[in-house]
Amino acid sequence: MDKELEYLESRVQALIGRIKELETQNGRFAQALAEALKENAELNFRVNETRSRVAALVERLPKADEPEQAEGEAE
């Protein structure tokens, strides 16, 4: 009976150790996830900002059916 209790005690200690390792690993994963989410949000902001700039530049381009001012002035 003592050997069985010692065996069970060693198994419980091993499980406690493994739980602590997993908690530590989980903390690292949570931190990495938070950093990745922050970076993703920053990149999305930059993409949207760039999209707005490109849209503004496209609006400034002359339309295909509109003659350019230089051609209109030359005639």
Side-chain angles (χ1 to χ4, degrees), residues 6-68:
E6 287 176 14
Y7 174 75
L8 288 175
E9 182 181 1
S10 69
R11 295 298 298 152
V12 168
Q13 291 298 324
L15 286 172
I16 291 171
R18 184 68 177 137
I19 288 169
K20 288 180 181 179
E21 289 173 16
L22 291 173
E23 286 175 340
T24 301
Q25 187 178 33
N26 190 41
R28 287 194 305 262
F29 286 150
Q31 183 178 1
L33 175 61
E35 290 172 6
L37 290 173
K38 179 182 176 188
E39 182 179 357
N40 188 41
E42 290 171 357
L43 290 172
N44 277 330
F45 176 80
R46 289 172 55 190
V47 164
N48 289 330
E49 188 176 74
T50 302
R51 185 178 289 130
S52 296
R53 287 180 179 176
V54 169
L57 288 172
V58 167
E59 287 296 318
R60 292 176 55 194
L61 292 174
K63 305 292 184 217
D65 57 344
E66 294 178 3
E68 292 185 27

